[in-house]
Amino acid sequence: MNWLPLDTPAQLDELIKASSGKPQVIFKHSTRCGISSMAKNRLERAADLPEADYHFLDLIRYRELSNAIAETFRVWHESPQLLVIKDGQCVSDTSHTGISVSWLEETIDALRA
């Protein structure tokens, strides 16, 4: 897994722009949550993830940015949380045990249809 760090509002702006070309995935991770660590490990162990850019946000360190993401994309803040961004919009999100490689594959495949 090649995580792109997400820790500034400028990076969020760039992510939104890049979403017009290919899906952008944001993983909001809590370093204090066992479920979040399990979800992160599940993603990192995947042999082949769908074509997208994968962004990692430590929401404990960057809580204001996490709140800005929730507001920008009009999604309820949860932790852990996975958001798929396409054309500047959050097209799907999931959290906790809903975070899986199969969910990610289905969500990104649906964008290609």
Side-chain angles (χ1 to χ4, degrees):
M1 170 64 69
N2 184 25
W3 293 115
L4 301 170
L6 180 56
D7 50 28
T8 69
Q11 289 170 320
L12 179 59
D13 291 341
E14 289 302 313
L15 176 158
I16 292 168
K17 289 176 190 170
S19 75
S20 65
K22 71 176 169 179
Q24 305 293 304
V25 177
I26 300 172
F27 178 63
K28 293 171 68 173
H29 174 63
S30 170
T31 54
R32 299 178 187 158
C33 173
I35 293 173
S36 191
S37 292
M38 286 182 358
K40 181 176 177 276
N41 287 337
R42 195 177 306 139
L43 293 172
E44 289 177 340
R45 284 193 321 250
D48 192 25
L49 291 173
E51 180 63 28
D53 291 329
Y54 292 87
H55 303 269
F56 179 87
L57 172 68
D58 177 342
L59 64 89
I60 301 298
R61 273 184 86 185
Y62 302 102
R63 183 60 186 216
E64 287 184 30
L65 184 56
S66 178
N67 291 340
I69 289 168
E71 185 176 318
T72 298
F73 298 115
R74 295 180 181 93
V75 294
W76 184 262
H77 164 78
E78 296 192 67
S79 167
Q81 188 172 41
L82 202 60
L83 297 87
V84 177
I85 312 302
K86 183 68 176 139
D87 296 326
Q89 303 292 317
C90 179
V91 295
S92 194
D93 68 282
T94 191
S95 65
H96 298 88
T97 58
I99 296 173
S100 69
V101 173
S102 61
W103 177 89
L104 197 52
E105 289 170 339
E106 290 170 15
T107 301
I108 292 177
D109 283 348
L111 295 174
R112 295 185 188 126

